[in-house]
Amino acid sequence: MEVVQVLHMNKGNGDTSYAKNSTVQRKIISFGKTIIEEALLELSSNYDIDSMGIADLGCSTGPNTLSVISEIMDIVRATSGHLRRPVPEFRLFFNDLYSNDFNYLFMLLPAFYKMLKEEKGIGLASSQCFISGVPGSFYGRLFPSNSLHFVYSFSSLHWLSQVPVGLESYAVKHLNKGKVYISKSSPQSVVNAYSSRFQSDFSQFIKSRSQELVPGGRMVLSFLGRKSIDPTTEDGCYQWELLAEALMSLVKEGLIEEEKVASFNAPYYAPCAEELKVEILKEGSFIIDRLEAFEVDWDGGAVADTHTEQGKMTVGERVAKTIRAVVESMLESHFRMGQDTMDVLFIKFAEIVGNHLSRTRTKYINFVISLVRKG
């Protein structure tokens, strides 16, 4: 699977779009706001910046993208006022893979520019805002050296640059049959392959940003992980376990081939805190200012009684739509299933999730890390 070509959130603003089904990501963003504010206050207080370079890595599309940057600009404006300095001009860069729906994001910009001008006075002679799209993988260089002051990334770094070596769909032997990610039944070679791919990717990410950020620049990263050092624990992988169960139910009904499930492995990894620290310290360019872990409900915190049939269905459908908006592009590319089969898959997945959450309230673990570029 060429991740850079096929991975993208569902486009547009339809019923299964990412724009309509990103409540969990919005909840994750809310956990990071205080840490973003602290980082920006430190940055703005210690440096007098005339033109501030800010990059959103893995921006996706929809209202979440612009709401974060709007709040960042508010913090910088307020800090500048407190310090009696002019508000800097903003150079804003939205990055994601080539297949991201940049068109939908850019269609939101006229209203965004209007809001900036009318409510914040940005866009007038005293304070300018310049927005650019930067397509490409963040596991390599994206920007000129020393051109950025603040980088943030939400709900993106758990995606790998590629499927781990040995687990590709074209591999001669399929090592993780019946599963689509690390599970309790996965052989150690599968666990090792995922861990190795993450270490390489995350190290390259950190190295690239160290060259693009100015000394003293700040970076806030937020992505899914796990509490335990054991990568097979439920908080790190169970949503994939249930998706594999739904896929295997389609195999039993003759809707997809078992070989297709055996050859599919998600380009995803949920690290533990220790793995993050090791790679950051090994690279050596950043100081860890804060590293926090938060629990997030699979459904984003919806109020529903999962002990009733209606409640199970409601929560299951909500989670299924969230997952579908994120993984459908990969499933469509690999399984070549039509829309009807895709609908059946996520109806079954919703039922499986509802039943699971009626027994135990499994949660995502989300890390937020604040880093300072040494200099």
Side-chain angles (χ1 to χ4, degrees):
M1 180 192 299
E2 291 293 334
V3 174
V4 72
Q5 295 176 1
V6 304
L7 177 60
H8 61 78
M9 307 301 102
N10 276 0
K11 299 179 179 183
N13 62 347
D15 188 52
T16 61
S17 68
Y18 180 80
K20 288 282 182 67
N21 296 284
S22 49
T23 302
V24 170
Q25 290 84 352
R26 188 156 54 248
K27 188 79 171 180
I28 287 170
I29 288 170
S30 71
F31 288 135
K33 284 180 179 178
T34 300
I35 295 176
I36 281 181
E37 184 172 4
E38 288 178 0
L40 285 168
L41 286 173
E42 287 289 328
L43 177 65
S44 299
S45 298
N46 293 331
Y47 301 92
D48 189 358
I49 302 168
D50 296 324
S51 180
M52 182 176 285
I54 302 172
D56 178 351
L57 304 185
C59 65
S60 189
T61 189
N64 287 351
T65 306
L66 297 181
S67 70
V68 176
I69 197 62
S70 178
E71 293 196 23
I72 286 173
M73 295 167 82
D74 284 343
I75 295 167
V76 174
R77 286 174 63 246
T79 306
S80 297
H82 178 72
L83 296 172
R84 297 185 178 181
R85 294 175 182 166
V87 177
E89 69 177 17
F90 295 96
R91 292 175 286 111
L92 311 178
F93 303 100
F94 293 130
N95 155 260
D96 214 310
L97 295 177
Y98 303 104
S99 53
N100 183 57
D101 193 357
F102 284 103
N103 284 341
Y104 182 74
L105 175 60
F106 293 157
M107 287 296 290
L108 300 176
L109 289 182
F112 182 68
Y113 281 130
K114 183 179 179 182
M115 180 274 294
L116 290 181
K117 194 170 186 177
E118 294 179 353
E119 298 181 15
K120 307 178 192 296
I122 295 174
L124 303 174
S126 59
S127 180
Q128 296 291 330
C129 171
F130 305 95
I131 294 179
S132 303
V134 183
S137 172
F138 51 46
Y139 290 121
R141 288 289 301 273
L142 292 165
F143 306 98
S145 298
N146 298 314
S147 62
L148 300 176
H149 297 86
F150 185 70
V151 170
Y152 64 98
S153 179
F154 280 90
S155 301
S156 295
L157 274 163
H158 41 251
W159 294 111
L160 301 173
S161 66
Q162 62 188 65
V163 174
V165 173
L167 302 180
E168 303 93 343
S169 59
Y170 54 79
V172 175
K173 183 179 180 181
H174 301 311
L175 303 175
N176 204 26
K177 291 183 178 180
K179 305 298 179 182
V180 299
Y181 179 60
I182 297 169
S183 74
K184 292 287 186 185
S185 63
S186 296
Q188 188 62 40
S189 60
V190 169
V191 176
N192 293 344
Y194 268 102
S195 177
S196 177
R197 180 74 263 164
F198 172 78
Q199 290 168 15
S200 176
D201 281 351
F202 192 60
S203 175
Q204 189 60 43
F205 176 90
I206 294 295
K207 181 180 179 181
S208 297
R209 304 296 83 76
S210 73
Q211 295 169 296
E212 297 163 351
L213 276 162
V214 299
R218 306 291 298 235
M219 183 159 62
V220 175
L221 311 175
S222 177
F223 51 100
L224 298 181
R226 65 182 194 273
K227 288 183 178 179
S228 171
I229 60 171
D230 178 5
T232 68
T233 52
E234 280 196 5
D235 61 11
C237 65
Y238 210 68
Q239 71 274 27
W240 296 105
E241 189 81 8
L242 301 185
L243 182 59
E245 185 180 334
L247 285 166
M248 290 304 294
S249 72
L250 264 61
V251 170
K252 291 177 183 177
E253 294 182 20
L255 295 175
I256 59 175
E257 299 174 7
E258 186 171 4
E259 173 71 12
K260 281 291 188 180
V261 180
S263 62
F264 179 81
N265 288 283
Y268 170 96
Y269 187 74
C272 64
E274 288 75 12
E275 289 173 292
L276 300 175
K277 291 175 185 176
V278 165
E279 295 307 319
I280 293 167
L281 294 175
K282 188 193 301 181
E283 196 281 330
S285 298
F286 289 92
I287 298 167
I288 300 174
D289 186 40
R290 285 184 66 176
L291 198 169
E292 306 284 345
F294 302 92
E295 292 187 341
V296 186
D297 289 313
W298 277 13
D299 59 3
V303 179
D305 184 358
T306 53
H307 295 97
T308 68
E309 289 303 314
Q310 181 61 43
K312 283 196 292 186
M313 184 173 69
T314 299
V315 172
E317 288 177 350
R318 189 181 179 105
V319 175
K321 281 189 173 183
T322 300
I323 298 294
R324 180 172 182 171
V326 172
V327 305
E328 184 167 3
S329 65
M330 292 186 296
L331 297 178
E332 188 176 51
S333 173
H334 180 82
F335 290 95
R336 303 295 182 187
M337 62 176 74
Q339 195 65 43
D340 290 345
T341 306
M342 191 73 73
D343 290 343
V344 171
L345 171 64
F346 281 98
I347 288 170
K348 291 183 178 294
F349 182 62
E351 182 181 347
I352 292 168
V353 168
N355 287 331
H356 170 73
L357 292 179
S358 70
R359 298 189 298 271
T360 178
R361 198 69 174 171
T362 309
K363 296 176 183 287
Y364 294 122
I365 302 301
N366 190 78
F367 289 119
V368 183
I369 316 170
S370 182
L371 303 172
V372 184
R373 171 73 168 87
K374 292 180 182 177

